[in-house]
Amino acid sequence: MNKIKFAYFGGEPLGVPVLEALKAADLLPSLIVCNPDRPSGRGHMLTPPPVKVWAEENGIEVFQPTNYKDDVAKSRLEAEDWDVFVVVAYNFILPEWFLHLPKHQTLNVHPSLLPKLRGASPIRTAILKDLREDIGVTVMLLDSEMDHGPILDQEQVYIEDENWPLSGPNLDQLLATTGGELLAEIIPAWVAGELSPQEQDHELATYCSRFEKGQNELTIDPTRLPAGDKAWNMWLKINAFTGIGDTFFMHEGKRIKIKAARFE
């Protein structure tokens, strides 16, 4: 087969690990599209997203559109003939023309076993709600509805009791790598016409949303730590919010952030 020409649209936290898995399979995009550089840190220094840094380190052209409402992004993408687009944790609402521009449409890696946990926070919600049975990755065709498109393949990820719950960053990495490896198998098979998409059972869909401010707060007395189910649920919450604000509690008027903990 000739080299597959595809563009990769990626964001955090999954974008770079998926790219690493594709690279290991000798399957690299011709173009990487990511968010614009943004101010970061106390000095508000303009900082490139990790996906852009990875692209530059690997000598791949980068495109950073600010939106898909004007003709800038459309003109750039229409300038070349694409076999397929790949979207991974890319936080833009994508228009209908985008999905069908490549010859073989647009693939997406979603870190849950769809139709379970559609939405913005499937990994951290799976930890928070103790949903080990829903942990895995899905590669699907994007359509105009959220996490709704037909499935090309899925892989469940089993985690032993003694390792559960994983911290959020560790589960991010595990599912991104698993998704990247699955994607590396699917892209050539899909382009070659060897796969048949399967419609999701939409009646079984469950949903997760973005976390709200303050949702990472614990109600806890550090002099009388909880036990049993209450302790377990707090442990799940600590792991779910690790790396995305971390959990905290208020004590004697002070806000105390939890940076490390253990469950016994």
Side-chain angles (χ1 to χ4, degrees):
M1 176 182 283
N2 295 329
K3 176 178 169 59
I4 297 169
K5 185 173 181 179
F6 71 100
Y8 180 92
F9 300 74
E12 286 64 57
L14 309 182
V16 169
V18 171
L19 281 167
E20 287 288 354
L22 292 176
K23 181 180 178 180
D26 196 26
L27 194 62
L28 288 175
S30 300
L31 177 70
I32 289 179
V33 185
C34 60
N35 292 327
D37 296 3
R38 297 222 166 100
S40 179
R42 291 184 177 179
H44 299 287
M45 184 178 296
L46 203 59
T47 303
V51 168
K52 178 181 179 179
V53 174
W54 191 94
E56 292 175 339
E57 289 173 348
N58 286 272
I60 298 173
E61 182 184 351
V62 178
F63 178 46
Q64 296 174 276
T66 57
N67 66 74
Y68 286 83
K69 296 177 182 179
D70 58 31
D71 290 333
V72 175
K74 188 174 184 180
S75 297
R76 172 63 188 89
L77 296 172
E78 286 181 339
E80 299 184 57
D81 292 325
W82 302 100
D83 290 310
V84 69
F85 287 163
V86 173
V87 175
V88 180
Y90 186 58
N91 63 348
F92 278 93
I93 295 174
L94 299 168
E96 193 72 26
W97 64 260
F98 176 99
L99 305 179
H100 304 290
L101 181 61
K103 298 173 191 173
H104 301 281
Q105 303 181 62
T106 299
L107 305 183
N108 173 242
V109 177
H110 184 77
S112 80
L113 297 173
L114 291 171
K116 299 292 184 67
L117 293 175
R118 294 176 176 176
S121 60
I123 297 176
R124 305 308 180 102
T125 297
I127 299 172
L128 185 64
K129 295 188 176 182
D130 209 3
L131 300 175
R132 266 190 292 175
E133 69 277 9
D134 295 332
I135 291 177
V137 292
T138 300
V139 177
M140 67 172 182
L141 283 175
L142 273 184
D143 65 13
S144 58
E145 298 184 47
M146 182 184 67
D147 303 328
H148 176 277
I151 293 169
L152 295 179
D153 203 357
Q154 294 181 309
E155 185 170 337
Q156 188 167 8
V157 174
Y158 297 94
I159 300 171
E160 299 294 335
D161 289 349
E162 60 268 24
N163 296 325
W164 179 257
L166 292 177
S167 71
N170 285 341
L171 191 53
D172 289 344
Q173 178 70 41
L174 176 60
L175 292 182
T177 300
T178 302
E181 292 169 349
L182 185 61
L183 183 65
E185 297 174 3
I186 286 174
I187 290 174
W190 171 244
V191 171
E194 298 170 357
L195 298 176
S196 298
Q198 302 297 315
E199 189 75 11
Q200 295 185 41
D201 187 342
H202 303 298
E203 293 184 358
L204 298 179
T206 62
Y207 297 88
C208 57
S209 59
R210 296 187 186 278
F211 292 126
E212 297 178 0
K213 184 177 181 180
Q215 199 171 342
N216 56 331
E217 182 176 1
L218 298 174
T219 302
I220 189 171
D221 179 353
T223 66
R224 298 179 62 186
L225 295 176
D229 289 345
K230 187 173 182 180
W232 177 249
N233 289 331
M234 286 188 176
W235 180 232
L236 291 171
K237 194 169 188 176
I238 289 167
N239 280 278
F241 282 95
T242 298
I244 56 168
D246 299 321
T247 46
F248 72 95
F249 63 94
M250 301 301 296
H251 181 63
E252 296 180 348
K254 295 181 180 179
R255 187 178 189 273
I256 301 173
K257 183 176 286 191
I258 299 174
K259 301 300 291 184
R262 68 178 186 270
F263 181 81
E264 296 181 347

